[in-house]
Amino acid sequence: MKGNVYTLFYAATLGIVCALILTFAASFTAPYKKANAEAEEVKNILLALNIAVPDETSSEELLEIYKKNVKEEERGSIPVYVTIPSSENEGAVAMRFAGPGLWGPIKGFMALNPEMTEIRGITFYEQEETPGLGGEIVKESFRGKFNGLSVHDEEGNVGIIIKSGSDKAKNRIDGISGATMTCDKVQQMLNKALQNMIGEPQ
């Protein structure tokens, strides 16, 4: 009986100590996790806006580049990130987009030219798609297809198409082989973001 009490006391004490250690560790690392998340978000905004980010740039340096080149505004009720005019860039406006992917949320930034007629860049900073298939959306080989893509079709309607095919529509890019469902979902969330920002032509 005495042995059972000791065992229970020992287990309870050990559990409390472990919980306290984990709580302390989580509290200690929380600011660093937040700073890393903010730096990753800033990096994606800069990449979408085609603002050069040197390799091995620290979080502090990223924020300095961001403050020097980007100003935050609101257009209607939509927060946007606008490049500060300079001789090094032609200007762009980035917006956040998000939506459900095949296996989890997909989040990123899409940048348009100042006239809101074509895409300048796109990045994904959160996704849980299948590696080698839908997960390829983060690769430059896919993201680069959006650069210069018109956000209007031949009739002036707002929207892009992500679908492999032989037609030469100015608002269409090829999708990823074997990842049709992921591409469909990306298309939906990008078009929703475009509709919110641009709306239908007058």
Side-chain angles (χ1 to χ4, degrees):
M1 181 68 180
K2 184 181 291 186
N4 289 338
V5 171
Y6 174 80
T7 301
L8 290 172
F9 177 77
Y10 178 81
T13 302
L14 183 62
I16 291 171
V17 171
C18 290
L20 289 173
I21 292 173
L22 290 173
T23 301
F24 173 77
S27 299
F28 181 77
T29 58
Y32 299 98
K33 289 182 179 179
K34 182 179 179 182
N36 288 336
E38 290 176 348
E40 183 66 18
E41 187 170 286
V42 163
K43 181 179 179 179
N44 276 270
I45 294 172
L46 293 172
L47 291 175
L49 292 168
N50 289 311
I51 296 172
V53 177
D55 293 335
E56 307 301 325
T57 302
S58 68
S59 298
E60 292 78 11
E61 291 169 332
L62 275 173
L63 290 174
E64 285 301 315
I65 296 172
Y66 179 79
K67 292 176 182 178
K68 180 181 177 182
N69 292 278
V70 181
K71 58 182 178 179
E72 299 176 5
E73 299 179 355
E74 280 199 5
R75 300 200 174 179
S77 59
I78 302 174
V80 295
Y81 308 87
V82 184
T83 51
I84 298 172
S86 73
S87 58
E88 298 177 2
N89 66 71
E90 301 176 359
V93 181
M95 71 188 84
R96 191 185 302 270
F97 65 83
L102 185 58
W103 302 115
I106 294 176
K107 300 179 181 179
F109 292 95
M110 173 171 53
L112 308 179
N113 63 343
E115 297 77 24
M116 301 288 178
T117 58
E118 66 179 40
I119 296 175
R120 282 285 170 81
I122 188 169
T123 61
F124 298 90
Y125 66 88
E126 183 177 330
Q127 60 89 22
E128 299 175 17
E129 301 305 283
T130 307
L133 295 173
E136 296 293 295
I137 60 175
V138 301
K139 299 286 187 66
E140 172 61 26
S141 56
F142 177 70
R143 294 188 296 105
K145 296 177 182 179
F146 290 89
N147 299 344
L149 182 70
S150 173
V151 300
H152 299 94
D153 64 16
E154 280 71 17
E155 285 73 42
N157 301 306
V158 175
I160 63 164
I161 301 169
I162 305 175
K163 183 179 181 181
S164 299
S166 58
D167 62 287
K168 302 295 183 181
K170 63 179 184 177
N171 64 328
R172 185 193 68 80
I173 63 167
D174 286 337
I176 299 170
S177 179
T180 302
M181 293 181 69
T182 295
C183 290
D184 287 345
K185 291 180 180 297
V186 170
Q187 176 182 303
Q188 291 168 12
M189 65 186 74
L190 292 181
N191 283 338
K192 181 178 179 180
L194 289 170
Q195 290 288 342
N196 289 338
M197 176 64 71
I198 305 173
E200 292 293 341
Q202 302 297 315

